[in-house]
Amino acid sequence: MTAMESKKRGILERLDAGEVVVGDGGYVMQLERRGYVKAGHWTPEAAVEHPEAVRQLHREFLRAGADVMQTFTFYCSEDKLELSGNVKTISGAQINDAACNLAREVADEGGALVAGGVSQTPCYVQSHNETEVKAIFKKQMDDFLKKDIDFLVVEYFEHVEEAVWAVEVLKTSGKTVAATLCIAPQGDMHGVPPGECAVRLVKAGADIVGINCHLDPLTCVQTVKLMKEGLEKAGLKAHLMIQPLGFHTPECNLGGYVSLPEFPFALETRAMTRWDIHKYAREAYNAGIRYIGGCCGFEPYHIRAIAEELATERGFLPPASEKHGLWGAALEMHTKPWVRARSRREYWEKLLPASGRPKCPSMATPATEH
């Protein structure tokens, strides 16, 4: 089966067959760095204001090997848009429409799937009113159902209760629903353990469950393992998904990387290398996770690293690998002998990268847990 033929099948068809689905990377932070998103409230009006920027990032993730294009609709609920103050004349419906069009346009260039995404709302924290919160998700879902999306994603939820409400709403669409929480191994912000969170999400109707954002890849793998254990103990089944940060966060607390003093404008020193991502992809695969992607901090070359690490399992390499020698192989052509010596896997796997910052500590002190 060719890559194109495989990608034309639905998300559950692929996962049920045991195939690896490579997710895309982080849009909000990458677009902020490129000058198209305003930090703070991180709203996605760029889908309307600068569609060329969103389209290009989609295209780079696709070329890197992503099988799914998520709509750039993070924090696109009307209450969040109003609170941000960034959007005066653009509605959430307009953003959702534009984002769906962009994701579909690029997805069709490579036979990828389109996932419409919803995220946590200010309304939940302010009112905890189930009817009001569900109405927000219903409005977003209705926008997505007007477009040619393949499945729906509930992502970036710190409170499993709100995520459950989102799943219950989105499941009425008849579409496949994936649900990912941005929680630590200790559980959600109310202390609900990952295993119990997974059980609640599956009972609400989620077909795929997992973790995204907030913490580094290996920490997120640990959390998904706990979710898997919880499902097994409850006798429930669901596919597993992971889209972590592209940053090292070993000292983080429950608040995740937003608790780091470097957040959000000085995280570059914590960036994952492509070799870190090779290790992450293998750890995730060995843990039984088959939907493997990234979130904030993940750039296209990180997604390519996932696709290259799992090329044997997937049966093909992504187009972007045409310009990348596996494990540094292209360095064999370098004029400097000490650089040529780096054209091997052993070198990069054993490398301990230096920070180049002599006065910087190896760890920071995160802000107090909230």
Side-chain angles (χ1 to χ4, degrees):
M1 181 182 296
T2 67
M4 183 69 76
E5 289 171 339
S6 178
K7 289 175 181 177
K8 287 181 179 177
R9 298 190 298 148
I11 185 69
L12 288 185
E13 289 180 278
R14 300 192 68 205
L15 292 172
D16 286 344
E19 297 176 27
V20 175
V21 172
V22 176
D24 52 6
Y27 289 87
V28 174
M29 191 160 284
Q30 296 311 323
L31 288 167
E32 190 279 331
R33 289 175 171 181
R34 289 161 168 78
Y36 298 103
V37 165
K38 191 173 183 178
H41 290 292
W42 308 101
T43 50
E45 60 272 12
V48 174
E49 295 176 337
H50 298 285
E52 74 286 352
V54 179
R55 181 186 295 110
Q56 179 60 26
L57 192 51
H58 276 310
R59 194 164 280 147
E60 290 177 17
F61 283 129
L62 180 72
R63 177 174 168 77
D67 298 309
V68 177
M69 296 289 104
Q70 280 191 232
T71 57
F72 183 45
T73 52
F74 178 78
Y75 274 169
C76 197
S77 61
E78 294 287 359
D79 60 332
K80 183 67 176 182
L81 294 175
E82 181 179 351
L83 179 65
S84 75
N86 290 340
V87 181
K88 302 294 185 183
T89 60
I90 304 173
S91 68
Q94 287 175 293
I95 296 172
N96 289 332
D97 181 77
C100 287
N101 290 341
L102 291 166
R104 174 53 64 193
E105 175 188 347
V106 176
D108 285 349
E109 294 174 3
L113 303 172
V114 174
V118 303
S119 48
Q120 63 185 10
T121 66
C123 182
Y124 176 79
V125 176
Q126 293 166 357
S127 72
H128 287 275
N129 186 303
E130 182 176 354
T131 301
E132 292 178 2
V133 173
K134 283 188 169 181
I136 292 171
F137 294 136
K138 173 69 162 55
K139 189 172 183 179
Q140 292 176 281
M141 179 186 73
D142 289 344
D143 288 341
F144 291 137
L145 293 180
K146 295 175 184 176
K147 312 303 292 187
D148 184 24
I149 61 162
D150 296 297
F151 66 103
L152 296 162
V153 176
V154 171
E155 68 164 353
Y156 198 81
F157 283 77
E158 297 173 295
H159 308 273
V160 69
E161 180 181 56
E162 186 185 15
V164 164
W165 293 351
V167 170
E168 289 173 345
V169 172
L170 268 54
K171 194 64 179 177
T172 65
S173 69
K175 298 278 188 180
T176 297
V177 176
T180 55
L181 305 173
C182 53
I183 65 172
Q186 294 90 334
D188 81 345
M189 299 305 288
H190 292 290
V192 181
E196 184 178 341
C197 287
V199 168
R200 291 188 189 183
L201 291 170
V202 171
K203 287 184 175 179
D207 305 286
I208 307 165
V209 297
I211 296 296
N212 81 298
C213 208
H214 262 208
L215 291 159
D216 62 60
L218 297 186
T219 301
C220 289
V221 169
Q222 180 185 351
T223 309
V224 176
K225 286 181 178 179
L226 294 173
M227 297 179 87
K228 181 181 180 182
E229 290 175 7
L231 291 174
E232 291 173 347
K233 288 180 181 178
L236 298 173
K237 291 185 178 180
H239 293 291
L240 302 174
M241 174 177 176
I242 185 168
Q243 299 205 118
L245 285 182
F247 303 111
H248 293 278
T249 62
E251 70 276 59
C252 267
N253 53 28
L254 289 175
Y257 79 137
V258 297
S259 301
L260 291 174
E262 297 94 340
F263 177 84
F265 300 128
L267 289 165
E268 287 84 354
T269 58
R270 293 175 173 269
M272 292 273 169
T273 69
R274 64 195 69 192
W275 316 120
D276 292 324
I277 301 306
H278 273 269
K279 181 178 180 180
Y280 147 63
R282 183 54 56 190
E283 291 283 343
Y285 184 87
N286 289 344
I289 305 168
R290 293 296 178 266
Y291 189 141
I292 305 172
C295 199
C296 294
F298 264 73
E299 297 193 40
Y301 73 93
H302 292 120
I303 299 303
R304 181 178 62 186
I306 296 174
E308 290 183 344
E309 175 63 31
L310 300 175
T312 299
E313 289 78 6
R314 299 177 80 215
F316 54 90
L317 286 166
S321 291
E322 296 171 3
K323 297 293 184 179
H324 185 239
L326 298 181
W327 292 102
L331 298 180
E332 293 175 355
M333 302 295 292
H334 203 280
T335 58
K336 307 297 183 186
W338 59 89
V339 177
R340 286 200 301 273
R342 299 170 187 170
S343 60
R344 53 195 173 88
R345 178 171 183 160
E346 183 182 20
Y347 176 86
W348 296 110
E349 280 191 322
K350 292 185 176 181
L351 179 69
L352 298 176
S355 70
R357 297 174 180 269
K359 296 183 180 180
C360 291
S362 63
M363 299 278 192
T365 303
T368 305
E369 294 175 9
H370 53 273

